[in-house]
Amino acid sequence: MGLMGRFTTIVKAKASKALDRAEDPRETLDYSYEKQLEMLQKVRRGVADVATSKKRLELQAAKLEQSVEKLDGQARQALQQNREDLARAALERKKNVQLQLQGIDQQRVQLQGEQDKLVVAEQRLTAKVEAFRTRKETIKAQYTAAEAQTKIGEAVTGVSEEMADVGLAIERAENKTETMRARAGAIDELIESGALTDLTDGRDSIDRELEQLSVTSGVDTELDQLKAELGSGAPPAEQLERGEDKQ
Amino acid sequence: MIVRILGEGQYRLDDEAFGAVSQIDDRVQAAADADDEAGFATALTELVDAIIAHGVPLAADEFEGSDAIVPGHGTTLEEARELLSSEGLIPN
């Protein structure tokens, strides 16, 4: 069997599952129509879900961009202090974050693709459902048993296939958003734990080392600054604190 | 013959066009059997494009069951397998 045959079998199977015939064929029409409206809501929710997931990715990307900047700044600072080893560590972390960013961007593109497909599916289903509604009323108005049976069968079968098609699109989008959510959750945890900005060592070790460097090499400078400030009539520290408390 | 492209709608094809499409379908299946992702992508694109080129799209108010159904543009081999295996019809 070719691929076409396999897909035909599976979609038909899904379509016939949706075909729950009622005792009165006219009820089948109404029942199918209800199902179609449900499917329309489902596909609209699907579009909204994908959009939300995409938003989440964008927020994450923004956070990661920030840590890229931070690591870049750390690398510069380290080099200024002649600490190439630290600079290298910071740049390595930056690369890791940039890799995550690339992954996020790929996912964003994928989700955009799913969203576009769902929007098209929604438009086609909307047109189909509207056409079905009209057909349904026509069949009901002309109802003469044998003829109507055939027409109802055709209309319902035709629309069931469309529903199976849209159902598959929704399923696929759901799978993609689920995968994305799992990954986004993992990245969130990494960001929160600080591990992503600090993938190779203990937490914030670059920061600490840089701070230590600043402390040892910068004390003199700060002392000079302090002296200068105090000399130029700045208020004593105690007053400064009180001033801050008031704010 | 009526062919549905998943996510892209239904098309009416004459027998000759459908015959040509079936031949491409054999190549899609062969690529899938050979686990040839690139070959699958190329053959599937050809298949879907042929249906669109030789078929006439059905209007929204035409309610017809399809004679054949194919996955849409851009479906990867992995996705095709996922779609098919959701009912356990097909081993990988």
Side-chain angles (χ1 to χ4, degrees), chain A residues 1-14 17 114 117 120-121 124 127-129 131-133 135 154-159 161-165 168-169 171-172 175-176, chain B residues 3-10 18 21-22 25-26 28-29 32 40 44 47 59-71 73 75 79-80 82-87 89-90:
Chain A
M1 198 195 276
L3 185 90
M4 201 154 61
R6 291 165 199 259
F7 268 88
T8 310
T9 311
I10 194 140
V11 178
K12 293 272 184 193
K14 282 183 188 287
K17 257 191 213 165
E114 294 306 318
K117 278 179 193 157
V120 172
R124 215 184 23 255
K128 204 88 192 167
V129 169
F132 186 90
R133 196 183 59 81
R135 177 76 55 96
E154 279 169 8
V156 172
T157 307
V159 85
E161 200 183 288
E162 188 72 35
M163 302 237 283
D165 185 345
L168 281 173
E171 236 173 72
R172 200 174 110 149
N175 284 344
K176 289 251 162 82
Chain B
V3 182
R4 172 181 293 275
I5 306 169
L6 286 180
E8 301 181 37
Q10 290 172 293
F18 188 75
V21 164
S22 298
D25 177 50
D26 291 341
V28 180
Q29 185 61 44
F40 179 85
L44 180 64
L47 177 77
D61 61 356
E62 290 185 82
F63 293 94
E64 305 268 2
S66 304
D67 299 298
I69 299 173
V70 301
H73 275 114
T75 307
E79 285 165 347
E82 265 172 34
L83 283 165
L84 290 174
S85 67
S86 64
E87 296 282 291
L89 261 184
I90 282 225

Side-chain angles (χ1 to χ4, degrees), chain B residues 28-45:
Chain B
V28 180
Q29 185 61 44
D33 291 341
D35 226 356
D36 174 6
E37 277 179 43
F40 179 85
T42 312
L44 180 64
T45 304

Side-chain angles (χ1 to χ4, degrees), chain A residues 71-107:
Chain A
L71 288 164
D72 207 46
Q74 285 181 332
R76 281 167 197 278
Q77 212 182 326
L79 265 190
Q80 277 162 5
Q81 313 265 11
N82 287 323
R83 286 290 307 274
E84 199 177 319
D85 58 326
L86 261 188
R88 180 174 295 277
L91 290 178
E92 273 169 10
R93 284 170 209 176
K94 189 178 101 170
K95 276 271 169 281
N96 273 319
V97 176
Q98 281 173 328
L99 275 178
Q100 297 282 355
L101 267 170
Q102 270 177 20
I104 287 182
D105 199 51
Q106 281 167 3
Q107 281 198 315

Side-chain angles (χ1 to χ4, degrees), chain A residues 29 134-143 148 151-152 155:
Chain A
L29 285 175
T134 311
R135 177 76 55 96
K136 175 168 83 84
E137 295 315 317
T138 312
I139 295 174
K140 275 186 178 178
Q142 298 171 339
Y143 187 63
K151 283 185 179 169
I152 290 168

